Each structure stands twice: as structure tokens, then as C-alpha cells.
Amino acid sequence: MPRSHAALPRLFVAPDLAAGAQLTLGKEQSLYLAAVLRKSVGDDVVLFNGRDGAWLCRLVGDSKKSVVLELVEQIAGQTPRSELWYGFAPLKTERLDYVIQKAVEMGAGTIQPVLTRFTQVSRLKHERLVANAIEAAEQCEVLAVPTVEQEVTLERLLDGWPAERALIFADEGEASSSPVTALEGLRGRPVGLLIGPEGGFADEERARLRALPYVVPVSLGPRILRADTAAVAALAVIQAIIGDWR
Ligand code: SAM
């Protein structure tokens, strides 16, 4: 994304994006642009839809109920969704919003809530998780919004896990060691990361995970991290060693 457009508001929309097309925004996005950001005719914004890259657009109508935009030019080609799979035991509301946003910023392409024995939250508002993922994608200039899956139990997840994908298991019971060697060995393979709940993994869950051939237990150091801290720490280590930070 050209840095010259970095200061422009970025909005995720559903319709196709093509040169010369006009697009009328819905009430919420119109209010945000016209009332909150006080954008008016002649101002520029960036739109993306997850398929057609990023487009520079110009306001040609600035009603607070229905802003009209004209598409000027494509400023970034569409990039593929990240291969990085991120599974986590859902946390209570605000921290759940936080964990979704951080997973997007840290480059996860699939976000999978996993219900484990000690997970404290069982019913999730999927549309809220999706809205958080879209908002984070708008902010961090991700062009392919990560997929947010419906929650699944750990058993179901493991029963259907594709063996070619390594599952990096953040195991607070693992002796403190550097994850570098374990992760280096996964270079070039599709990987997933699994973070447990505030109550950690149950003994039988840890035993089942550690017995699976595609599971790679890693330590995140000598201290017990809160689940949302562990998520960011683990994603950072993965991206730095075998991911897209290199
Ligand atoms: N049982 C503790 C508790 O009740 O707070 C720890 C659970 S911890 C908050 C949540 C998750 O973060 C763990 O299940 C694990 O996936 C990850 N985690 C936290 N600290 C870790 C560490 N030092 N090494 C590996 N994973 C860690």
C-alpha cells in the first residue's frame, strides 16, 4: 500500500470494485465518514473488499445517510489470505475483542475459537467477532480479511485436523526453552497455533495433544502468560522465525 495513502480512511465493503464505478455506502459507514470524520465531496478514502485489492475513491456525495463514492484507481493488488491458522479458547468479551484484533494484526488468516474443558465462554456472538476482524483489517491494511470460524470443541478440531499442517501447541506445562529450534523445523509447512483458556489445558487435553504426530509443543518462556498475552507473544515468535516478518 503506497504510504501516501496511509492517512486515508480505509473501509471494507461487499460490492465488486472497478474503475469508474460508483458505490453508495450504507448508513453506518456514511455516518462514520460524513459525521465522525467530516469527509465531504472531493475528499478521498480507500475501499477494499477482499477480492479486488485496494481502491482510491473520491466522495461525490456526502449525505450522512448515504455517502456516494466514485472509484478512481486501484492502489494495491489483492493479496492472498494468510496461511497462518490461529486457534484459541475464547475469553470474556473485551479480551475476546482484543484477541481477535491482535490475531488479525499479527497476520492470522483463519481465526478459530476452540472450546476446551476449562473454557469459560461457550456461546459466542460470531457477527461481533467478524466485525472486530474487519475493523482490525481496515486499521492494519490487511487486504484479505481473515476467516472467523464458528466455535468448535477441541475433540472435533483434532478429529478433523489435516495432518500436513503442524499444530504449534503453546503448552504452559512445557519446560521453559526457546521455541526457535522447534519452529525452525516447521519452515515451509502450513502451521496452526493453539492457545488455551485462562484455566489452561486439562491434563487429558495436554496428553492427547502431545501424543499427536503433527503437534509441536512450545514454551513461551518461564512465566505463565495470560491467554491474550500468550497469543500475541506466540504469533510474534512464529512470524519472526517462520512467518512473514522475515
Ligand atoms: N493455568 C494457568 C492459569 O490458570 O492462568 C495458565 C493458563 S494461560 C493463562 C492460557 C494459555 O496461554 C495456556 O493454556 C497456554 O496456551 C498459553 N501460555 C501461557 N503461558 C505460557 C508459557 N509460558 N508457555 C507456553 N504457553 C503459555
Side-chain angles (χ1 to χ4, degrees):
M1 173 76 57
R3 295 320 303 157
S4 53
H5 299 113
L8 295 178
R10 291 166 43 79
L11 293 176
F12 177 77
V13 293
D16 291 344
L17 301 172
Q22 279 207 351
L23 193 148
T24 302
L25 294 179
K27 200 153 161 268
E28 200 178 314
Q29 289 182 322
S30 297
L31 206 60
Y32 171 64
L33 279 184
V36 174
L37 299 185
R38 297 188 182 287
K39 292 298 177 189
S40 53
V41 170
D43 284 341
D44 291 341
V45 300
V46 173
L47 295 186
F48 67 106
N49 61 9
R51 303 183 302 279
D52 302 324
W55 283 75
L56 179 68
C57 305
R58 190 146 300 141
L59 271 78
V60 294
D62 53 19
S63 137
K64 289 190 177 60
K65 287 207 176 62
S66 58
V67 162
V68 181
L69 297 168
E70 187 158 275
L71 277 71
V72 177
E73 59 173 327
Q74 188 188 49
I75 52 175
Q78 183 58 42
T79 46
R81 179 171 297 120
S82 156
E83 255 295 296
L84 180 54
W85 182 96
Y86 165 63
F88 67 105
L91 302 167
K92 291 224 172 78
T93 320
E94 316 67 60
R95 295 178 59 213
L96 181 54
D97 295 346
Y98 173 90
V99 154
I100 298 290
Q101 286 172 6
K102 299 314 143 196
V104 176
E105 291 171 49
M106 299 301 283
T110 303
I111 299 174
Q112 171 67 68
V114 180
L115 302 179
T116 67
R117 174 110 165 267
F118 298 136
T119 299
Q120 294 164 4
V121 176
S122 50
R123 298 261 341 115
L124 297 174
K125 290 196 181 87
H126 185 255
E127 61 284 356
R128 180 184 175 118
L129 306 191
V130 172
N132 273 304
I134 288 171
E135 192 181 323
E138 290 172 338
Q139 177 274 325
C140 67
E141 300 186 6
V142 160
L143 285 179
V145 179
T147 305
V148 180
E149 301 290 357
Q150 296 285 348
E151 60 270 25
V152 68
T153 62
L154 180 60
E155 291 72 24
R156 277 275 308 278
L157 178 77
L158 297 179
D159 289 346
W161 188 265
E164 70 279 4
R165 180 182 289 272
L167 179 58
I168 299 162
F169 165 36
D171 181 358
E172 71 272 26
E174 176 79 357
S176 176
S177 58
S178 161
V180 174
T181 321
L183 292 180
E184 283 283 7
L186 302 178
R187 194 180 298 285
R189 271 182 74 180
V191 298
L193 166 67
L194 181 63
I195 300 282
E198 274 310 77
F201 286 99
D203 289 345
E204 70 275 11
E205 291 171 332
R206 284 189 68 240
R208 178 173 180 195
L209 281 160
R210 296 181 67 95
L212 291 166
Y214 55 74
V215 168
V216 179
V218 295
S219 162
L220 296 175
R223 288 167 294 281
I224 292 293
L225 310 176
R226 287 171 67 92
D228 36 2
T229 313
V232 179
L235 287 166
V237 165
I238 292 168
Q239 291 293 33
I241 297 171
I242 56 173
D244 66 7
W245 285 8
R246 290 176 302 121

